[in-house]
Amino acid sequence: MSYVRAPSPDRMESVIAEMTTSMQHRIALAPAGICPVEMTMVFLRLCHAQSCGKCVPCRIGLGKMADIISDLIDGRGDPSLLSTLEATARTVRDTSDCVLGVHAGSMVLRNLDEFLNDFQSHALESRCVGIFAGPIPCQSACPAGVNVPGYIALIREGKPKEAVALIREANPLPTVCALICDHPCEAHCRRRMLDDAVNIRGLKRYAVESSGDVPLPEPLPPTGKKVAVVGGGPAGLTCAYYLALWGHDVTIFEKYPKLGGMLRYGIPEYRLPKALLDKEIERILSLGIPAKTSFEIGKDASIEGLRREYDAVFLAIGCHEDRKLGIEGEEGPDVVSAVSFLRQVISGPLPVLRGKIVAVVGGGNVAMDAARTAVRLGAREVKLVYRRRREDMPADPKEVTGALEEGVDLIDLASPVRVTRNERGAVTGLIIRPMVAGPIDDSGRPKPVPSGRPDETVECDVIIVAIGQSSESARFKEEGIPTNKDLVVAGEDLSVPGVPGVFAGGDCVSGPSTAVKAIGHGKTAALNIHVYLGGEPVETARHPIPPARPSDMMPSGRVELKERSPLVRVRDFRMVEKGMSAEEALREAHRCLRCDHYGCAPLRSGRWYAWSR
Amino acid sequence: MVKITIDGKEVTASPECTILEAATKAGFRIPTLCHLKGINDVGACRVCVVEIEGVEKLVTSCNITVRDGMSVLTASPRVREARRTVVELLLSEHDCNCPTCPQNGKCDLQSLAEKLGVRTQKYHSSAPQGEPDTSSPSLVKDPRKCILCYRCVSVCDRVQSMGIWTIAGAGGHTQVVPEGGAPLAHTACTYCGQCVVSCPVGALSEKDDRDVAWELLNSRKQGKRIVTQVAPAVRASWGEALGLPRSVATPGRLVAALKHIGFDLVFDTCFAADVTVIEEAAELLRRAGLVEGQRSHGGPNARRMPMFTSCCPAWVRFLGAEYPEFLPCLSSAKSPQQMFGALAKTYWAQSFGVGAGDIRVLSLMPCTAKKYEASLDVMSSSGFRDVDVTLTTREISSLIMEEGVRVENLPEVDFDSPLGLASGAGVIFGSTGGVMEAALRTAYYLATGKNPPVDAFRVVRGTGGRREAEFDVAGKTLTVAVVHGLGNARMLLEDIKAKRVAYDFVEVMACPGGCAGGGGQPYAQGFEYNPEAGARAQTLYGIDDKAPVRFAHENPAVIELYDKFLKTPGGELSEKLLHTDHRLWGIQARSRRVMAAAAT
Ligand SMILES: Cc1cc2nc3c(=O)[nH]c(=O)nc-3n(C[C@H](O)[C@H](O)[C@H](O)COP(=O)(O)OP(=O)(O)OC[C@H]3O[C@@H](n4cnc5c(N)ncnc54)[C@H](O)[C@@H]3O)c2cc1C
Ligand code: SF4
Ligand code: SF4
């Protein structure tokens, strides 16, 4: 005889749990442009199914709201339904007993507010204004628009050279992206509905590593137009590459002795070996692009001067200025910004950290790079000080794990208050204030608020500040370049308003971002400059893409890239991550669902071509 | 070559071909519905699925290529169940009022249901709501019939480069609608009708003018004279929908059938085509500077080269919408349909003592855009509409059927005189390259005073998307090009704009194959695009070969027309009756479609 049962997960629960997870994935992967009215209806039906049935507004109201929207969608709506819907949603929100109803009601109100246009066109004209774009998910998530399924198919057919050539049609820095891209494509990979995203970046690395030297396409005949590119980072390099391919005479101006921008002076060697970067840059320059290095625009020449001598100018100066903590004791030796620290590691002399305790302030990728670099330079201890929680860090979780594996000590929920120095002015520590997670702020993360516990001291000899960078664009203000805060203002087409012939892109327009976004900007600018110079929109030769094979969509595991062991890798600056073997690459390439063939992409992103027998 | 097994039989196939192609070639019959070879391979209907050994899912045979060692089952129980289910699902959302459908008896969905033995309907039926879009003078779209096969979308986008048909909504609310959801008449639709001939069901059709034609017949009681003209390409295809072999469905039997119905004056558009040839050839020589002369139409640009042919109204609409700056390049000659109407209500009316207001002109055309052209206000140079009603080949076959004419029992009858006399040159107007060839024959004569060898310009014939040639005419080299299909026309214009090419004379027909493949021609069945266009063109060239007169300028009826009435080509009366200023057609220029950003 028993009175209580120990809870045991039953079969139904686990299947429901599985379904919930796949629902999450499905919703996260919803194609762009899906009708918000219909989504609201589906959301309500789900909420209704979850209602326990106790309270009137939730038990009945949720269903009625879904019915109303269904009428709107089927063209049985009239404008009065909208006010009924709104009143019902308000009542459900305000009168439901628990969060199941309250949340559903407030979501409907929010959608009504946010998508009023769509609701109205359904109600008044029974017309859907949502434009369902059904493109290839990974390709459209890629800021450079790389044809992902195409190059994966080429890898699968054993043609890595062709794969690299195809990537280059959209992105002239395949090796860089293969090693350090933050791969937004994978977040959108449709395969996630089934098991997990295809390891797209890993496959790209395989293609790059197994293809040897892949020749560049032939440039078009010279147009006689001259373009100046200011800044030799990924944005500038990309823009120069395409403009040179289309026959323009391009010159790159770069402040530092070498090209690459943050790829060279920011990203550490153990993630992006400089020898590989050099090769990639040389290849781009081999199109006949001269680079004037150690040449600073604003000092050695003015924008005005460039505009006189060139038909168009592309500004891509990045974000290299340090952001300060603004706390007492910050000024003085041994408190450095992460970017200048990392730059010094590359350009020398090597900072001496052996035996020292280093505190790195920040929670982004730059902070991780600084911390892990400090470890490799022989610091006795590296402490990572961050205001919020570990899960709120903007850094890639893999980078955080990598840093922790390498012995970095994480002190989270700690807000810097003051730098303490001894009588000789040397840093002795960083006073921090313990925080707790508070209400969610605009960034969607809990805002740290003081915990009320007393301040603590983090002992250290060196402090590296990695709380963001700003751009030096203000210096061009006098030359008429409009700026907003510290960024250059540019339109959607990246032209700088009011300054004909000048375009801008990359980090100096977007703020600190990613390499592939800078590449995307470089492409957009190149095309618009080309058209500005009187060219026709160009399409590069398209590499033929192997036909899709029958697809079974059987769940299968993702091939992850292996890393060198933390104990070994901290002793040198060689690459942390290892590439895929041919067998692994083939397996992984099989996983691609070929969303360019299956599903709506071939239909909804169609382009006309000639009919000819 | 690869080896595959289909239903247990070993078959070799080339590695690029699809399973469907390989199976079809080997004599298997896999049903299809949405597939249009080379154009619509999106695999939307799922009717062509097959089972492949070792592959769990069923596979669409239309868009998966063969691989060595593949073993395919085209009709296994799983495949049969899937196909039938798919068709039942389609039927549940289709307006199945088949007897009143324009495709009744020709519909691919109907015959598919029969072939797959669908006799039950296990789903609750819910045909989409909505009224047909009848806004345009040429085409009608009935959303209740649409099965979302996307053929029209692909044809309009990929063949014609227009992209008028777009997909709106998603999920269960997906619809095919004109660009921006506007009524068709508010779009840049050229009314070519290629979507209509490609629609497997009755969702797209021409604007139905059959009742107007019957009323015309009745109006004879009020003393009206009904004058009928038959376009070249109609004579090559009118029997298809009636199930008649080409040997029976001759031009002479068409005339006989029309007379049987009561159209007692059956003339030939080819007569007007001969006039068009002369007017256009004369204009070409003037524009090319081979003869002296000024134009009243076309304004200061009237000498602009190249000269484009102007007999295809869908092409004219295309140019006005997409490249309005090129409108002055069009020959100012009206199309044969309109020239015929204008001459019938002036020249013929005078000679036979009939008042122009008492004449009604009925045209039988392979074309949907001709309905639009005839409806234009500027097309009334006699003071009355040049053409009162235009029927497509499909509509005329339907009239013959409705009247119950036993065509095969009728003796052949000649076209009536004088507007029924035509040269072979006028007949080949119906095929791509035909207008060019016909015009060059006469231009040569007008420039040199001598006839060229009749086959001198044959090289412009063919089916290639763009064909180019150079000819010596009176010491001057004329560079000419022939294109068909608006996608090819667009590429040609882009090449001209970018100065990659330069021509003196260009023939453009909007429909692939020319009028023989026109949007008013019988519906195509199966998955080949425009399968009959080639055979129809051959019929026309066959008529030309045997024609007693091969040069437009040697047509005695045409010579008489100029002697007694028009006097000279491009003369004052011709200008008034036979020419038009295309800028007055009121075609809305289309705002340039934004190119996709480089990043996407
Ligand atoms: C430490 C660190 C790690 C990063 N890790 C990643 C990563 O893993 N993945 C990723 O995708 N992104 C990463 N990023 C971001 C990425 O590097 C940048 O977003 C990208 O390099 C921006 O490109 P850009 O061309 O706009 O600018 P930059 O790369 O900053 O290039 C600008 C160039 O302009 C030059 N310049 C500046 N002013 C002048 C002037 N007045 N005259 C002439 N030249 C001038 C600069 O010297 C520089 O070479 C990282 C950034 C940092 C700092
Ligand atoms: S399955 Fe392949 S094509 Fe589809 S999103 Fe993922 S990588 Fe791209
Ligand atoms: S209108 Fe016809 S061709 Fe177009 S999608 Fe509908 S059924 Fe297919």
Side-chain angles (χ1 to χ4, degrees):
Chain A
M1 252 235 330
S2 54
Y3 294 98
V4 244
R5 262 188 300 142
S8 71
D10 67 11
R11 172 101 186 117
M12 189 177 96
E13 261 172 57
S14 69
V15 173
I16 296 269
E18 210 182 289
M19 195 155 82
T20 321
T21 322
S22 39
M23 246 145 90
Q24 272 170 16
H25 283 157
R26 261 197 112 89
I27 292 163
L29 295 170
I34 201 162
C35 170
V37 179
E38 186 146 17
M39 274 305 264
T40 310
M41 180 188 76
V42 174
F43 172 76
L44 278 168
R45 297 257 187 246
L46 175 67
C47 297
H48 204 193
Q50 290 177 324
S51 170
C52 79
K54 184 184 85 172
C55 310
V56 173
C58 181
R59 182 183 70 234
I60 304 175
L62 295 183
K64 291 299 169 213
M65 288 197 285
D67 290 346
I68 290 175
I69 299 180
S70 160
D71 280 350
L72 288 181
I73 290 172
D74 290 340
R76 290 189 299 269
D78 69 78
S80 74
L81 284 182
L82 279 187
S83 51
T84 314
L85 182 64
E86 197 179 341
T88 319
R90 245 189 327 264
T91 307
V92 172
R93 180 194 60 187
D94 295 346
T95 63
S96 290
D97 201 17
C98 77
V99 70
L100 284 175
V102 174
H103 176 242
S106 41
M107 280 302 279
V108 173
L109 285 176
R110 200 189 96 157
N111 287 4
L112 268 172
D113 187 41
E114 197 82 31
F115 305 113
L116 189 62
N117 231 339
D118 300 74
F119 277 95
Q120 275 175 344
S121 75
H122 275 282
L124 303 175
E125 307 154 47
S126 38
R127 199 161 75 79
C128 181
V129 291
I131 301 166
F132 181 99
I136 305 162
C138 48
Q139 180 169 9
S140 32
C142 172
V146 172
N147 183 341
V148 175
Y151 82 72
I152 295 184
L154 287 165
I155 293 174
R156 183 174 169 177
E157 303 295 336
K159 296 177 171 168
K161 265 190 196 306
E162 284 84 344
V164 171
L166 180 70
I167 296 170
R168 245 196 230 128
E169 283 177 7
N171 176 348
L173 295 161
T175 309
V176 167
C177 279
L179 297 176
I180 58 95
C181 184
D182 67 327
H183 50 75
C185 51
E186 291 182 24
H188 290 82
C189 176
R190 203 171 280 162
R191 178 100 206 174
R192 291 180 64 201
M193 283 192 195
L194 212 54
D195 40 54
D196 199 353
V198 172
N199 192 337
I200 299 176
R201 184 174 66 84
L203 282 169
K204 182 183 278 171
R205 175 161 172 189
Y206 172 78
V208 169
E209 286 178 346
S210 54
S211 58
D213 201 39
V214 181
L216 297 185
E218 274 300 303
L220 298 178
T223 60
K225 301 280 184 190
K226 289 173 70 183
V227 185
V229 169
V230 182
L237 286 168
T238 303
C239 184
Y241 173 82
Y242 288 108
L243 287 174
L245 269 188
W246 300 334
H248 303 291
D249 179 1
V250 190
T251 308
I252 301 179
F253 295 91
E254 167 58 50
K255 174 165 110 182
Y256 289 125
K258 285 184 150 189
L259 298 180
M262 281 301 185
L263 305 178
R264 178 179 306 279
Y265 294 107
I267 302 177
E269 176 79 11
Y270 64 83
R271 291 207 290 128
L272 177 58
K274 297 301 159 301
L276 296 180
L277 177 65
D278 286 342
K279 252 195 167 159
E280 193 127 292
I281 293 175
E282 266 165 38
R283 209 172 287 127
I284 291 176
L285 298 186
S286 75
L287 285 176
I289 303 170
K292 284 201 172 169
T293 51
S294 303
F295 191 99
E296 188 172 341
I297 302 302
K299 198 174 108 211
D300 303 319
S302 67
I303 305 243
E304 235 354 272
L306 290 183
R307 287 185 66 202
R308 256 177 276 124
E309 205 177 322
Y310 293 84
D311 299 298
V313 176
F314 180 51
L315 270 183
I317 57 171
C319 279
H320 292 241
E321 286 295 280
D322 315 335
R323 279 243 176 88
K324 302 266 191 244
L325 284 166
I327 56 173
E328 192 190 325
E330 189 178 6
E331 302 301 328
D334 294 335
V335 179
V336 293
S337 79
V339 277
S340 43
F341 166 70
L342 290 167
R343 189 187 312 136
Q344 200 191 331
V345 174
I346 298 294
S347 44
L350 264 190
V352 183
L353 293 184
R354 191 153 295 282
K356 293 194 177 159
I357 304 180
V358 178
V360 177
V361 181
N365 284 320
V366 178
M368 301 308 137
D369 284 343
R372 299 176 75 177
T373 301
V375 170
R376 283 167 177 70
L377 290 176
R380 175 150 57 98
E381 239 178 280
V382 178
K383 300 172 179 176
L384 192 61
V385 177
Y386 182 52
R387 287 160 61 213
R388 307 186 194 234
R389 305 171 305 173
R390 176 177 171 184
E391 38 283 83
D392 303 326
M393 286 186 168
D396 181 347
K398 268 185 81 178
E399 286 297 309
V400 181
T401 313
L404 299 184
E405 281 173 0
E406 290 168 8
V408 172
D409 186 15
L410 174 64
I411 306 172
D412 60 352
L413 286 167
S415 178
V417 178
R418 188 154 42 87
V419 177
T420 55
R421 294 181 182 269
N422 63 16
E423 57 291 352
R424 276 173 288 116
V427 170
T428 55
L430 177 66
I431 311 274
I432 55 115
R433 181 155 302 156
M435 312 294 270
V436 288
I440 306 289
D441 66 11
D442 286 347
S443 71
R445 299 170 300 171
K447 194 176 147 72
V449 292
S451 68
R453 280 188 285 130
D455 292 353
E456 293 166 14
T457 304
V458 174
E459 267 179 49
C460 57
D461 309 307
V462 173
I463 298 175
I464 300 177
V465 182
I467 58 164
Q469 302 88 252
S470 57
S471 158
E472 275 193 302
S473 28
R475 66 193 293 185
F476 298 125
K477 228 179 179 154
E478 298 108 70
E479 300 207 55
I481 304 293
T483 55
N484 177 15
K485 302 223 177 95
D486 51 21
L487 301 175
V488 179
V489 175
E492 260 189 337
D493 62 349
L494 299 184
S495 66
V496 176
V499 200
V502 177
F503 295 73
D507 279 4
C508 70
V509 167
S510 60
S513 179
T514 59
V516 70
K517 281 201 189 133
I519 291 169
H521 269 191
K523 284 180 72 172
T524 304
L527 189 68
N528 288 330
I529 290 173
H530 177 67
V531 172
Y532 171 80
L533 296 176
E536 291 273 326
V538 220
E539 247 196 288
T540 40
R542 295 277 161 205
H543 279 261
I545 289 160
R549 302 199 200 179
S551 154
D552 255 347
M553 306 176 196
M554 299 295 221
S556 70
R558 166 180 157 116
V559 174
E560 298 286 1
L561 297 190
K562 295 197 201 90
E563 295 191 337
R564 290 165 64 216
S565 142
L567 288 177
V568 180
R569 70 191 187 217
V570 293
R571 293 193 213 128
D572 58 41
F573 273 90
R574 298 217 309 273
M575 262 206 281
V576 166
E577 215 176 49
K578 299 195 242 181
M580 285 185 194
S581 68
E583 296 70 30
E584 284 176 321
L586 202 63
R587 277 220 143 259
E588 193 58 14
H590 265 75
R591 291 182 66 239
C592 174
L593 294 171
R594 288 300 301 269
C595 304
D596 59 334
H597 174 98
Y598 292 101
C600 51
L603 179 63
R604 302 224 190 199
S605 45
R607 230 171 15 95
W608 71 275
Y609 59 79
W611 174 88
S612 171
R613 271 191 232 188
Chain B
M1 294 301 257
V2 296
K3 271 208 182 72
I4 63 171
T5 316
I6 302 179
D7 295 340
K9 186 178 149 196
E10 265 214 6
V11 166
T12 52
S14 83
E16 304 86 48
C17 76
T18 62
I19 299 172
L20 175 66
E21 284 171 293
T24 308
K25 216 173 267 161
F28 294 88
R29 196 174 286 162
I30 300 177
T32 60
L33 183 56
C34 73
H35 185 54
L36 208 49
K37 199 168 129 192
I39 295 161
N40 197 42
D41 46 13
V42 295
C45 71
R46 322 305 289 172
V47 163
C48 71
V49 286
V50 294
E51 201 169 335
I52 297 180
E53 209 169 89
V55 178
E56 188 80 11
K57 261 182 97 278
L58 296 183
V59 166
T60 42
S61 58
C62 70
N63 63 6
I64 292 291
T65 44
V66 293
R67 296 190 73 83
D68 205 30
M70 208 177 230
S71 173
V72 180
L73 294 177
T74 68
S76 68
R78 259 180 86 201
V79 165
R80 280 207 305 272
E81 178 190 72
R83 271 183 201 149
R84 205 190 266 190
T85 304
V86 157
V87 170
E88 283 177 53
L89 286 171
L90 269 176
L91 290 173
S92 78
E93 293 217 334
H94 179 72
D95 169 5
C96 291
N97 286 316
C98 300
T100 57
C101 177
Q103 277 265 44
N104 186 25
K106 296 158 288 239
C107 169
D108 281 348
L109 181 61
Q110 212 178 36
S111 66
L112 195 60
E114 197 207 348
K115 274 187 218 149
L116 299 183
V118 178
R119 289 284 161 77
T120 52
Q121 177 50 284
K122 50 182 179 270
Y123 303 104
H124 169 72
S125 159
S126 52
Q129 309 288 308
E131 287 299 306
D133 177 349
T134 53
S135 61
S136 94
S138 292
L139 309 180
V140 175
K141 163 87 202 276
D142 187 345
R144 299 166 301 191
K145 297 274 181 195
C146 177
I147 56 167
L148 296 165
C149 71
Y150 307 117
R151 279 183 171 194
C152 54
V153 177
S154 294
V155 166
C156 190
D157 184 34
R158 297 182 161 189
V159 179
Q160 299 297 61
S161 79
M162 288 303 289
I164 298 296
W165 293 113
T166 56
I167 305 161
H173 308 287
T174 313
Q175 267 187 305
V176 167
V177 298
E179 189 179 43
L184 191 60
H186 298 179
T187 69
C189 173
T190 65
Y191 304 143
C192 72
Q194 284 305 302
C195 56
V196 178
V197 279
S198 308
C199 183
V201 294
L204 281 166
S205 53
E206 66 276 311
K207 176 160 163 285
D208 184 355
D209 285 316
R210 291 169 308 158
D211 282 347
V212 186
W214 287 130
E215 267 166 39
L216 275 194
L217 274 182
N218 279 337
S219 70
R220 284 181 308 175
K221 294 197 197 99
Q222 286 93 52
K224 305 286 185 245
R225 301 298 304 269
I226 313 304
V227 170
T228 303
Q229 57 167 323
V230 179
V234 172
R235 72 202 60 200
S237 62
W238 67 280
E240 289 169 22
L242 300 168
L244 300 172
R246 287 191 199 284
S247 56
V248 174
T250 57
R253 278 207 187 78
L254 174 58
V255 177
L258 290 169
K259 296 211 163 192
H260 186 105
I261 296 177
F263 296 107
D264 46 2
L265 285 165
V266 181
F267 292 139
D268 196 347
T269 312
C270 300
F271 163 83
D274 280 341
V275 180
T276 310
V277 165
I278 292 171
E279 293 291 329
E280 225 166 57
E283 182 178 355
L284 173 68
L285 296 183
R286 274 196 306 268
R287 287 206 192 203
L290 281 166
V291 300
E292 283 301 306
Q294 261 307 317
R295 309 279 320 171
S296 57
H297 282 291
N301 282 330
R303 272 177 177 278
R304 245 178 80 177
M305 296 304 262
M307 184 172 98
F308 290 133
T309 58
S310 57
C311 29
C312 171
W315 151 240
V316 174
R317 259 183 85 78
F318 169 87
L319 205 62
E322 303 276 16
Y323 299 90
E325 69 276 20
F326 278 93
L327 277 180
C329 288
L330 282 169
S331 157
S332 62
K334 281 186 186 173
S335 72
Q337 154 169 277
Q338 301 304 138
M339 285 198 182
F340 179 93
L343 290 173
K345 291 193 180 179
T346 51
Y347 172 60
W348 185 80
Q350 276 171 29
S351 343
F352 289 81
V354 187
D358 285 332
I359 299 176
R360 295 286 179 273
V361 174
L362 166 74
S363 331
L364 308 184
M365 295 283 143
C367 178
T368 43
K370 291 280 173 196
K371 288 181 187 259
Y372 154 78
E373 186 187 36
S375 77
L376 288 170
D377 286 341
V378 290
M379 292 297 166
S380 46
S381 32
S382 63
F384 298 90
R385 249 180 210 306
D386 293 349
V387 172
D388 295 281
V389 54
T390 301
L391 298 187
T392 61
T393 313
R394 293 186 293 268
E395 287 170 289
I396 192 62
S397 303
S398 163
L399 291 194
I400 293 173
M401 215 163 358
E402 189 178 347
E403 183 74 15
V405 186
R406 290 289 298 275
V407 175
E408 55 279 28
N409 295 346
L410 296 177
E412 302 195 28
V413 178
D414 281 340
F415 284 102
D416 288 307
S417 283
L419 308 191
L421 274 178
S423 77
V427 174
I428 59 175
F429 250 61
S431 168
T432 168
V435 175
M436 171 66 66
E437 189 175 345
L440 288 175
R441 287 181 194 168
T442 291
Y444 187 96
Y445 169 80
L446 292 182
T448 62
K450 284 196 310 256
N451 274 347
V454 73
D455 280 340
F457 309 107
R458 254 187 102 94
V459 292
V460 300
R461 297 184 189 184
T463 53
R466 183 191 310 180
R467 309 186 298 276
E468 297 164 322
E470 283 187 356
F471 300 108
D472 227 38
V473 177
K476 186 176 158 70
T477 307
L478 285 183
T479 310
V480 306
V482 172
V483 291
H484 55 144
L486 291 173
N488 290 325
R490 187 186 296 277
M491 290 210 291
L492 177 112
L493 281 158
E494 288 297 329
D495 283 350
I496 292 179
K497 267 175 69 176
K499 303 204 162 50
R500 286 186 286 267
V501 295
Y503 304 109
D504 298 301
F505 188 27
V506 180
E507 177 205 287
V508 185
M509 297 196 190
C511 291
C515 309
Q521 295 281 52
Y523 286 111
Q525 280 159 310
F527 62 84
E528 295 275 354
Y529 177 60
N530 219 331
E532 299 294 334
R536 294 174 195 150
Q538 282 323 306
T539 305
L540 299 181
Y541 285 119
I543 296 175
D544 174 40
D545 275 344
K546 291 200 210 74
V549 179
R550 309 277 309 267
F551 294 95
H553 54 269
E554 289 185 349
N555 178 344
V558 171
I559 294 172
E560 194 178 323
L561 167 73
Y562 277 98
D563 278 353
K564 287 201 180 145
F565 188 66
L566 291 174
K567 309 302 175 205
T568 55
E572 204 177 312
L573 200 50
S574 316
E575 287 289 340
K576 176 168 178 282
L577 296 176
L578 308 182
H579 290 260
T580 179
D581 184 343
H582 295 100
R583 289 168 304 179
L584 304 181
W585 283 28
I587 306 165
Q588 277 290 316
R590 192 182 198 183
S591 50
R592 274 253 163 220
R593 274 179 290 171
V594 183
M595 296 284 298
T600 51

